[in-house]
Amino acid sequence: MKGIRIGKGKPLHWIIWHPYQGLWNWTLHRALRRIIPGDRPRRWALSLLVTLDTLILWLRAIRERWALVGYSRDLWAPRLPPDPCVLYLDAGTHREARELRWVVERVLPRYTSRVRAVGFEAGTAFYRDAVAHTAHLPCVQIVHAALCYQPPPTGTVRLYVSPADGRASSLYREDFRAYEDVPALSLSRWLREQGISLDDRVIILRMNIEGAEEEVIQDLVERGVAEHVDGFFGMWDDVAKDDPERGKAFRRTLKRLGIRPFTFNDRDFRSRWRMQCVEYALVTALLRGTRRKRGAPCDEEPSC
Protein backbone atom coordinates (compact mmCIF):
# COMPACT_ATOMS: atom_id res chain seq x y z
CA MET A 1 0.00 0.00 0.00
CA LYS A 2 2.32 2.63 -1.32
CA GLY A 3 2.09 6.00 0.33
CA ILE A 4 0.18 4.77 3.39
CA ARG A 5 1.91 5.75 6.62
CA ILE A 6 1.85 2.94 9.19
CA GLY A 7 4.06 4.53 11.80
CA LYS A 8 7.60 3.87 12.90
CA GLY A 9 8.09 0.43 14.44
CA LYS A 10 4.52 -0.69 13.77
CA PRO A 11 3.81 -3.95 11.89
CA LEU A 12 2.05 -3.95 8.52
CA HIS A 13 -0.88 -6.06 9.76
CA TRP A 14 -1.93 -3.20 12.04
CA ILE A 15 -3.52 -1.68 8.92
CA ILE A 16 -6.17 -4.41 9.00
CA TRP A 17 -6.43 -4.97 12.75
CA HIS A 18 -4.96 -2.50 15.20
CA PRO A 19 -4.49 -3.98 18.72
CA TYR A 20 -6.18 -0.95 20.27
CA GLN A 21 -8.26 0.67 17.53
CA GLY A 22 -9.50 -2.57 15.97
CA LEU A 23 -10.76 -2.69 12.39
CA TRP A 24 -11.77 0.97 12.52
CA ASN A 25 -8.25 2.32 12.79
CA TRP A 26 -6.95 5.58 11.45
CA THR A 27 -4.38 3.99 9.13
CA LEU A 28 -7.02 1.94 7.31
CA HIS A 29 -9.38 4.92 7.45
CA ARG A 30 -6.79 7.11 5.68
CA ALA A 31 -6.04 4.33 3.18
CA LEU A 32 -9.69 3.99 2.18
CA ARG A 33 -10.02 7.75 1.78
CA ARG A 34 -7.00 7.72 -0.51
CA ILE A 35 -7.70 4.72 -2.72
CA ILE A 36 -11.51 4.93 -3.17
CA PRO A 37 -12.54 7.46 -5.83
CA GLY A 38 -15.67 9.56 -5.48
CA ASP A 39 -17.27 11.08 -2.40
CA ARG A 40 -20.29 8.76 -2.24
CA PRO A 41 -18.37 5.44 -2.56
CA ARG A 42 -15.80 6.76 -0.08
CA ARG A 43 -18.47 7.68 2.49
CA TRP A 44 -20.16 4.30 2.01
CA ALA A 45 -16.87 2.43 2.54
CA LEU A 46 -16.00 4.40 5.67
CA SER A 47 -19.49 3.89 7.06
CA LEU A 48 -19.21 0.16 6.41
CA LEU A 49 -15.85 0.14 8.20
CA VAL A 50 -17.39 1.66 11.34
CA THR A 51 -20.39 -0.70 11.15
CA LEU A 52 -18.24 -3.83 10.86
CA ASP A 53 -15.98 -2.72 13.69
CA THR A 54 -19.01 -1.99 15.87
CA LEU A 55 -20.43 -5.44 15.11
CA ILE A 56 -17.17 -6.98 16.31
CA LEU A 57 -17.33 -4.77 19.39
CA TRP A 58 -20.88 -5.98 20.12
CA LEU A 59 -19.75 -9.61 19.89
CA ARG A 60 -17.04 -8.88 22.44
CA ALA A 61 -19.46 -7.06 24.76
CA ILE A 62 -21.99 -9.91 24.65
CA ARG A 63 -19.29 -12.51 25.20
CA GLU A 64 -18.03 -10.68 28.28
CA ARG A 65 -21.58 -10.36 29.68
CA TRP A 66 -22.16 -14.08 28.93
CA ALA A 67 -19.01 -15.01 30.88
CA LEU A 68 -20.43 -13.14 33.87
CA VAL A 69 -24.13 -14.09 33.84
CA GLY A 70 -24.40 -17.08 31.52
CA TYR A 71 -27.62 -17.67 29.61
CA SER A 72 -29.95 -15.75 31.86
CA ARG A 73 -32.27 -12.78 31.83
CA ASP A 74 -29.32 -10.57 32.82
CA LEU A 75 -27.84 -11.06 29.38
CA TRP A 76 -30.44 -8.67 27.92
CA ALA A 77 -32.46 -7.34 30.88
CA PRO A 78 -29.99 -6.80 33.72
CA ARG A 79 -31.30 -7.01 37.28
CA LEU A 80 -29.42 -4.75 39.67
CA PRO A 81 -30.02 -4.13 43.37
CA PRO A 82 -31.76 -0.82 44.11
CA ASP A 83 -29.54 2.25 44.15
CA PRO A 84 -26.05 0.70 44.23
CA CYS A 85 -23.16 3.04 44.99
CA VAL A 86 -21.05 3.88 41.94
CA LEU A 87 -17.73 5.71 41.68
CA TYR A 88 -17.06 6.77 38.10
CA LEU A 89 -13.52 8.01 37.41
CA ASP A 90 -12.68 9.79 34.15
CA ALA A 91 -9.05 10.62 33.49
CA GLY A 92 -8.65 13.04 30.61
CA THR A 93 -11.96 14.89 30.42
CA HIS A 94 -10.65 17.33 27.82
CA ARG A 95 -12.63 20.50 27.27
CA GLU A 96 -16.24 19.28 27.30
CA ALA A 97 -16.07 16.28 29.67
CA ARG A 98 -18.31 14.68 27.08
CA GLU A 99 -17.87 11.06 28.09
CA LEU A 100 -18.29 11.83 31.79
CA ARG A 101 -21.47 13.82 31.20
CA TRP A 102 -22.94 11.11 28.98
CA VAL A 103 -22.38 8.45 31.65
CA VAL A 104 -23.75 10.60 34.47
CA GLU A 105 -26.70 12.07 32.56
CA ARG A 106 -27.72 9.22 30.23
CA VAL A 107 -26.57 5.86 31.59
CA LEU A 108 -26.24 5.72 35.37
CA PRO A 109 -29.58 7.44 36.23
CA ARG A 110 -31.38 4.38 34.85
CA TYR A 111 -29.82 2.21 37.54
CA THR A 112 -28.88 4.36 40.54
CA SER A 113 -28.94 7.83 42.06
CA ARG A 114 -25.97 7.17 44.32
CA VAL A 115 -23.20 8.31 42.04
CA ARG A 116 -19.93 10.08 42.62
CA ALA A 117 -18.13 11.06 39.41
CA VAL A 118 -14.62 12.50 39.39
CA GLY A 119 -12.88 13.84 36.31
CA PHE A 120 -9.16 14.56 36.09
CA GLU A 121 -7.83 17.04 33.56
CA ALA A 122 -4.22 18.22 33.36
CA GLY A 123 -4.48 21.15 30.97
CA THR A 124 -5.41 24.36 32.78
CA ALA A 125 -7.67 25.74 30.04
CA PHE A 126 -9.38 22.39 29.51
CA TYR A 127 -9.85 22.00 33.26
CA ARG A 128 -11.65 25.34 33.51
CA ASP A 129 -13.90 24.45 30.57
CA ALA A 130 -14.67 21.01 32.03
CA VAL A 131 -15.67 22.63 35.33
CA ALA A 132 -18.03 24.95 33.46
CA HIS A 133 -19.55 22.10 31.42
CA THR A 134 -20.29 20.03 34.55
CA ALA A 135 -21.33 22.79 36.97
CA HIS A 136 -24.98 21.71 36.75
CA LEU A 137 -24.17 18.18 37.98
CA PRO A 138 -23.94 18.03 41.80
CA CYS A 139 -22.35 14.57 41.82
CA VAL A 140 -19.41 15.62 39.60
CA GLN A 141 -16.02 16.87 40.76
CA ILE A 142 -13.33 17.98 38.33
CA VAL A 143 -9.74 17.82 39.59
CA HIS A 144 -6.94 19.81 37.99
CA ALA A 145 -4.13 17.28 37.84
CA ALA A 146 -2.06 14.99 35.67
CA LEU A 147 -2.23 11.40 36.90
CA CYS A 148 1.10 9.63 37.11
CA TYR A 149 2.86 6.80 38.92
CA GLN A 150 5.01 8.83 41.29
CA PRO A 151 4.49 12.59 41.61
CA PRO A 152 7.83 14.39 41.92
CA PRO A 153 8.75 16.25 45.14
CA THR A 154 7.71 19.53 43.53
CA GLY A 155 4.15 18.22 43.20
CA THR A 156 4.06 19.23 39.53
CA VAL A 157 4.89 17.69 36.17
CA ARG A 158 5.51 19.25 32.79
CA LEU A 159 2.62 18.96 30.34
CA TYR A 160 3.69 19.50 26.73
CA VAL A 161 0.89 21.36 24.98
CA SER A 162 -0.28 20.26 21.54
CA PRO A 163 0.12 23.01 18.94
CA ALA A 164 -3.22 22.02 17.41
CA ASP A 165 -6.29 22.10 19.66
CA GLY A 166 -4.55 20.89 22.81
CA ARG A 167 -6.24 17.49 22.85
CA ALA A 168 -2.97 15.63 22.26
CA SER A 169 -1.11 17.39 25.08
CA SER A 170 1.07 14.88 26.88
CA LEU A 171 3.65 14.35 29.59
CA TYR A 172 5.95 12.74 27.03
CA ARG A 173 5.78 14.67 23.75
CA GLU A 174 8.67 17.06 24.26
CA ASP A 175 8.69 17.90 20.55
CA PHE A 176 5.62 20.06 21.17
CA ARG A 177 8.03 22.50 22.89
CA ALA A 178 5.31 24.64 24.48
CA TYR A 179 4.51 23.43 27.98
CA GLU A 180 2.96 24.25 31.32
CA ASP A 181 3.73 22.87 34.77
CA VAL A 182 0.60 21.29 36.25
CA PRO A 183 -0.31 19.54 39.53
CA ALA A 184 0.61 15.84 39.64
CA LEU A 185 -1.33 13.12 41.44
CA SER A 186 -1.12 9.42 42.12
CA LEU A 187 -4.68 8.14 41.71
CA SER A 188 -4.31 5.51 44.43
CA ARG A 189 -3.03 8.10 46.89
CA TRP A 190 -5.79 10.55 45.96
CA LEU A 191 -8.45 7.89 46.62
CA ARG A 192 -6.87 7.12 49.97
CA GLU A 193 -6.62 10.77 51.00
CA GLN A 194 -10.25 11.33 50.01
CA GLY A 195 -11.27 8.51 52.32
CA ILE A 196 -13.11 6.72 49.52
CA SER A 197 -13.96 3.14 50.42
CA LEU A 198 -13.22 0.69 47.62
CA ASP A 199 -15.21 -2.17 49.13
CA ASP A 200 -18.76 -0.85 49.06
CA ARG A 201 -19.14 0.65 45.60
CA VAL A 202 -18.89 -0.23 41.94
CA ILE A 203 -15.80 1.43 40.45
CA ILE A 204 -15.50 2.27 36.76
CA LEU A 205 -12.38 3.88 35.29
CA ARG A 206 -12.14 5.51 31.87
CA MET A 207 -8.81 6.93 30.70
CA ASN A 208 -7.62 8.92 27.71
CA ILE A 209 -4.45 10.60 28.95
CA GLU A 210 -2.10 10.46 25.99
CA GLY A 211 0.26 7.69 27.11
CA ALA A 212 0.12 8.10 30.90
CA GLU A 213 -2.32 5.17 31.17
CA GLU A 214 0.67 2.88 31.75
CA GLU A 215 1.74 4.87 34.81
CA VAL A 216 -1.77 4.87 36.27
CA ILE A 217 -2.16 1.11 35.85
CA GLN A 218 1.22 0.53 37.50
CA ASP A 219 0.15 2.73 40.40
CA LEU A 220 -3.22 0.99 40.83
CA VAL A 221 -1.77 -2.52 40.60
CA GLU A 222 1.07 -1.95 43.04
CA ARG A 223 -1.25 -0.30 45.60
CA GLY A 224 -3.92 -3.01 45.36
CA VAL A 225 -6.54 -0.72 43.81
CA ALA A 226 -6.83 -2.32 40.35
CA GLU A 227 -8.53 -5.42 41.76
CA HIS A 228 -11.39 -3.20 42.96
CA VAL A 229 -12.06 -1.71 39.51
CA ASP A 230 -15.08 -3.36 37.87
CA GLY A 231 -14.70 -1.88 34.42
CA PHE A 232 -11.81 -0.33 32.48
CA PHE A 233 -12.67 1.91 29.53
CA GLY A 234 -10.75 3.88 26.90
CA MET A 235 -8.48 2.99 24.00
CA TRP A 236 -5.04 3.42 25.60
CA ASP A 237 -3.20 3.39 22.25
CA ASP A 238 -1.02 6.43 22.91
CA VAL A 239 1.65 4.44 24.76
CA ALA A 240 2.38 2.55 21.54
CA LYS A 241 2.10 5.73 19.46
CA ASP A 242 4.85 7.39 21.48
CA ASP A 243 7.07 4.31 21.83
CA PRO A 244 6.22 1.03 20.01
CA GLU A 245 8.46 -1.07 22.27
CA ARG A 246 6.97 0.44 25.40
CA GLY A 247 3.57 -0.18 23.87
CA LYS A 248 4.33 -3.88 23.39
CA ALA A 249 5.45 -4.19 27.00
CA PHE A 250 2.28 -2.42 28.15
CA ARG A 251 0.09 -4.83 26.16
CA ARG A 252 1.89 -7.79 27.72
CA THR A 253 1.35 -6.31 31.18
CA LEU A 254 -2.36 -5.77 30.56
CA LYS A 255 -2.74 -9.32 29.24
CA ARG A 256 -0.97 -10.74 32.30
CA LEU A 257 -3.23 -8.71 34.60
CA GLY A 258 -6.37 -9.67 32.70
CA ILE A 259 -7.17 -6.02 31.97
CA ARG A 260 -8.78 -5.37 28.59
CA PRO A 261 -10.14 -1.84 28.33
CA PHE A 262 -13.35 -1.34 26.39
CA THR A 263 -13.27 1.49 23.88
CA PHE A 264 -14.93 4.71 25.01
CA ASN A 265 -13.61 7.90 23.48
CA ASP A 266 -14.85 10.87 21.53
CA ARG A 267 -14.86 9.01 18.21
CA ASP A 268 -17.40 6.47 19.48
CA PHE A 269 -20.08 9.18 19.53
CA ARG A 270 -20.14 9.08 15.73
CA SER A 271 -22.36 5.98 15.85
CA ARG A 272 -25.50 5.64 17.95
CA TRP A 273 -25.30 1.85 17.68
CA ARG A 274 -21.74 2.00 18.95
CA MET A 275 -22.74 4.09 21.96
CA GLN A 276 -25.44 1.54 22.76
CA CYS A 277 -22.66 -1.04 22.82
CA VAL A 278 -20.58 1.10 25.17
CA GLU A 279 -23.61 1.44 27.44
CA TYR A 280 -24.08 -2.34 27.39
CA ALA A 281 -20.44 -2.74 28.51
CA LEU A 282 -20.89 -0.14 31.26
CA VAL A 283 -23.91 -2.04 32.59
CA THR A 284 -21.86 -5.25 32.53
CA ALA A 285 -19.39 -3.44 34.81
CA LEU A 286 -22.30 -2.53 37.11
CA LEU A 287 -23.40 -6.17 37.19
CA ARG A 288 -19.86 -7.31 37.91
CA GLY A 289 -19.43 -4.79 40.70
CA THR A 290 -22.74 -5.40 42.44
CA ARG A 291 -22.19 -9.15 42.35
CA ARG A 292 -18.66 -8.90 43.67
CA LYS A 293 -19.58 -6.34 46.33
CA ARG A 294 -22.89 -7.92 47.37
CA GLY A 295 -25.09 -5.18 46.01
CA ALA A 296 -22.64 -2.33 46.68
CA PRO A 297 -24.73 -0.65 49.43
CA CYS A 298 -23.26 2.50 50.97
CA ASP A 299 -24.18 5.59 52.94
CA GLU A 300 -23.73 7.99 50.03
CA GLU A 301 -26.68 10.33 49.63
CA PRO A 302 -28.48 10.42 46.26
CA SER A 303 -26.91 13.22 44.28
CA CYS A 304 -27.44 12.73 40.54
Side-chain angles (χ1 to χ4, degrees):
M1 300 182 76
K2 187 176 179 181
I4 302 300
R5 293 180 290 106
I6 303 170
K8 185 178 179 181
K10 299 174 183 176
L12 185 64
H13 67 263
W14 279 24
I15 298 176
I16 302 302
W17 186 262
H18 192 283
Y20 298 99
Q21 299 171 12
L23 183 65
W24 179 22
N25 63 78
W26 295 121
T27 303
L28 182 56
H29 192 275
R30 287 192 298 267
L32 291 175
R33 289 182 64 88
R34 178 170 298 189
I35 65 179
I36 296 178
D39 289 342
R40 182 174 295 180
R42 190 180 301 121
R43 286 197 302 269
W44 183 87
L46 296 176
S47 178
L48 179 61
L49 177 68
V50 176
T51 299
L52 289 174
D53 187 74
T54 302
L55 175 60
I56 295 169
L57 194 65
W58 264 109
L59 292 174
R60 173 191 164 182
I62 293 170
R63 185 173 65 248
E64 291 181 357
R65 176 84 66 91
W66 179 289
L68 179 67
V69 305
Y71 185 70
S72 69
R73 174 185 168 186
D74 288 328
L75 193 61
W76 299 112
R79 293 164 295 183
L80 291 165
D83 253 8
C85 259
V86 177
L87 174 63
Y88 178 77
L89 302 170
D90 193 305
T93 63
H94 295 132
R95 191 180 301 278
E96 296 180 358
R98 188 180 186 186
E99 294 86 353
L100 185 152
R101 288 189 291 113
W102 182 77
V103 170
V104 169
E105 294 177 319
R106 298 284 300 276
V107 179
L108 293 181
R110 300 178 189 177
Y111 305 97
T112 182
S113 63
R114 299 179 186 275
V115 176
R116 180 173 182 181
V118 184
F120 298 87
E121 175 53 47
T124 302
F126 278 15
Y127 159 73
R128 290 171 180 162
D129 286 342
V131 169
H133 277 102
T134 57
H136 63 291
L137 297 168
C139 64
V140 172
Q141 174 186 6
I142 305 294
V143 178
H144 183 207
L147 297 182
C148 58
Y149 171 67
Q150 184 74 45
T154 60
T156 63
V157 290
R158 185 153 291 180
L159 178 71
Y160 295 94
V161 180
S162 168
D165 62 356
R167 294 178 67 85
S169 299
S170 168
L171 303 182
Y172 311 104
R173 295 169 186 160
E174 298 182 15
D175 55 313
F176 286 165
R177 296 187 181 180
Y179 63 85
E180 61 171 319
D181 293 325
V182 299
L185 284 180
S186 153
L187 180 55
S188 66
R189 181 175 179 179
W190 184 87
L191 290 167
R192 185 171 63 251
E193 291 177 346
Q194 292 289 309
I196 296 175
S197 170
L198 305 179
D199 297 318
D200 61 359
R201 64 196 66 213
V202 179
I203 300 175
I204 297 173
L205 171 62
R206 191 199 77 91
M207 290 194 288
N208 181 16
I209 46 179
E210 306 302 325
E213 295 88 353
E214 180 188 27
E215 293 197 37
V216 174
I217 291 297
Q218 183 181 0
D219 168 41
L220 297 184
V221 169
E222 291 186 6
R223 275 71 178 188
V225 176
E227 63 194 54
H228 293 274
V229 179
D230 301 295
F232 292 93
F233 290 81
M235 193 175 292
W236 305 5
D237 58 333
D238 291 296
V239 178
K241 282 182 185 177
D242 293 337
D243 185 337
E245 290 304 314
R246 183 169 151 241
K248 290 178 185 177
F250 186 40
R251 291 203 310 276
R252 289 194 296 268
T253 297
L254 293 176
K255 184 176 181 179
R256 175 175 54 83
L257 296 170
I259 295 174
R260 191 183 179 195
F262 200 92
T263 183
F264 183 22
N265 285 326
D266 185 64
R267 75 169 192 164
D268 297 310
F269 285 93
R270 300 185 185 194
S271 165
R272 181 179 179 184
W273 190 39
R274 195 173 182 89
M275 292 306 294
Q276 289 171 340
C277 184
V278 172
E279 179 174 351
Y280 185 92
L282 286 164
V283 175
T284 299
L286 293 178
L287 283 166
R288 185 180 298 115
T290 53
R291 287 179 173 219
R292 182 156 56 192
K293 291 155 187 176
R294 300 180 182 178
C298 71
D299 296 328
E300 189 131 339
E301 292 297 321
S303 54
C304 267

